[in-house]
Amino acid sequence: MNLNASTAVMGSFLVMAAPAFAQVEGFHDPEPKWSTSLLGEPTNIAAATEGLSFAVCWSAGPGLVVASVHDVTTGNLLEDTSLVSVPAISTRDVGWSPTTNRIAIGYVGADGTPRTRLLDTRTSLPVGGEHVGDRIAFDASGAMLVIGGFDDYIRVVDAISGSLVRAYQFEGDLADVAIDSTGGVVGACSADGAIELWDMMSGQSLFRNQVTGSDGTALGLTSISISAGCTYVGAGTDGSAMAAADRGRALVWAVAGGALLYDRQIADGGLEKVVWTQSESELLALGSTSAGELIFSAWDIVEDRTVLSIPPSESTSFGGLHDFDFDRASSVWALTTGNGSVEAFGPGLGCISDLDGSGAVDGSDLAMVLSARDRAHTTADQNGDGVVNGVDLSYLLTHWGACGD
């Protein structure tokens, strides 16, 4: 990042004039919205394709998974929806469309086979038969469901009838699928580094790229997401790369042409999921540190700046984090935790230098920045460059005083 700033020396810190930052700051001190506990441990979560609610999968005992739908404002069960269930050892994915009253659950059955079942939330009954594969995504209308199979095919299913519409062949160990908000572009990524997009109507491949590390070997991709305006497609690498710098990278390509535009390491232990906000420039990421501690971050791809929203200490207090999703209609994001709860947050005041939450930037915050010098994965990293140094100290001093002044 080019800061275009003057520099000075303050002790052993290098101090630089602080630049202005974008709305990504709101993820630094998120406002808690609600917390709800379920009768079993929650696993996967998905925001409604049309917004304003979340579907959550949770274990209801050996061999049974239940999905419920929750209001984005209160966390209560959404009116006019019923619980749905599937006989599953574990779940892999979930999707939800209130317009069509459909929940899709990707899961592993008792025989170990990955599959997807589509269900009606009014009747709790299945819609059509089971489908091969357990990675799923609805388009914004809820009329089309994309399912990624283990048999080298991506399928598009009519969510109203449950019937197959078309299929695309995909070579690779499938990790995730996506569809843009208009339903015009379908995407998939693989655990052996492939990412591919198709035009949904024609089935023509728009581009296919292979992601490799600094040593030339393929990097495993874990998650794929297409931005709200279908400008960008993002993906994240896992934590298995030989080179430490290749673990937990977030990558962004142009949908038109497939050029790699942005590339940044977000979590040096690997990324588990990436999701675009309603902005074309903000990508959220759930990942882990090299020590295996879970973190939740927001990346402004234009500023090339990350904000640590949930540091390791907070994820530990939640008993770990399983999954998350972002509701573009309300700007609320929700996470499933190891404590058996679903936690929802909205943007905070963006007072990024108020590290202790006192409402003011003062000596306590200054002490926290000084004590965190040279550390990574801490909220003391004010400018999101991955390390605490003089730039962060300068940013804090610039914002000294009551938040909002």
Side-chain angles (χ1 to χ4, degrees), residues 47-367:
T49 53
E50 303 89 332
L52 304 182
S53 55
F54 290 94
V56 182
C57 287
W58 41 280
S59 172
L64 183 64
V65 168
V66 172
S68 52
V69 180
H70 300 262
D71 181 85
V72 75
T73 304
T74 64
N76 296 333
L77 291 175
L78 191 67
E79 292 184 5
D80 300 322
T81 61
S82 302
L83 301 182
V84 298
S85 63
V86 293
I89 296 175
S90 63
T91 57
R92 298 290 301 278
D93 210 351
V94 64
W96 153 238
S97 168
T99 299
T100 56
N101 297 294
R102 298 290 188 264
I103 281 184
I105 302 176
Y107 64 100
V108 178
D111 60 356
T113 302
R115 60 190 69 176
T116 289
R117 181 169 289 181
L118 188 63
L119 302 112
D120 189 321
T121 56
R122 296 165 301 185
T123 65
S124 300
L125 296 176
V127 178
E130 291 183 330
H131 299 274
V132 175
D134 55 9
R135 295 297 184 178
I136 52 183
F138 277 105
D139 74 343
S141 72
M144 294 294 175
L145 175 67
V146 177
I147 303 173
F150 63 89
D151 59 349
D152 298 331
Y153 280 93
I154 310 298
R155 293 169 172 83
V156 178
V157 172
D158 183 324
I160 305 299
S161 65
S163 59
L164 179 67
V165 176
R166 59 183 55 87
Y168 319 113
Q169 189 168 16
F170 177 69
E171 296 180 7
D173 183 7
L174 185 101
D176 197 14
V177 295
I179 185 169
D180 84 299
S181 58
T182 66
V185 175
V186 173
C189 68
S190 75
D192 42 15
I195 182 167
E196 188 168 2
L197 297 187
W198 297 265
D199 177 84
M200 194 190 79
M201 293 303 296
S202 68
Q204 178 181 357
S205 177
L206 300 177
F207 74 80
R208 179 183 172 93
N209 290 337
Q210 181 67 42
V211 180
T212 57
S214 54
D215 59 0
T217 60
L219 298 180
L221 300 178
T222 57
S223 177
I224 182 174
S225 181
I226 300 173
S227 67
C230 201
T231 305
Y232 304 115
V233 57
T237 68
D238 63 21
S240 65
M242 292 295 292
D246 290 328
R247 301 169 193 156
R249 286 165 52 192
L251 306 104
V252 174
W253 295 265
V255 169
L260 180 62
L261 302 177
Y262 304 99
D263 183 353
R264 179 176 179 130
Q265 186 178 52
I266 303 293
D268 55 9
L271 290 178
E272 296 183 17
K273 188 173 183 178
V274 296
V275 172
W276 290 97
T277 70
Q278 73 275 25
S279 166
E280 291 290 285
S281 64
E282 294 173 356
L283 188 69
L284 305 181
L286 176 64
S288 60
T289 70
S290 57
E293 302 166 311
L294 290 167
I295 56 174
F296 180 66
S297 304
W299 177 31
D300 185 315
I301 64 172
V302 176
E303 294 284 349
D304 193 23
R305 174 173 182 259
T306 57
V307 168
L308 187 61
S309 184
I310 297 181
S313 59
E314 192 169 347
S315 68
T316 299
S317 71
F318 287 142
L321 305 174
H322 293 311
D323 194 12
F324 83 96
D325 207 358
F326 181 88
D327 176 42
R328 292 173 179 171
S330 65
S331 296
V332 169
W333 59 100
L335 308 100
T336 54
T337 77
N339 289 341
S341 66
V342 181
E343 307 289 335
F345 300 89
L349 297 176
C351 192
I352 196 169
S353 298
D354 179 20
L355 301 179
D356 62 358
S358 67
V361 181
D362 52 26
S364 175
D365 304 302
L366 175 61

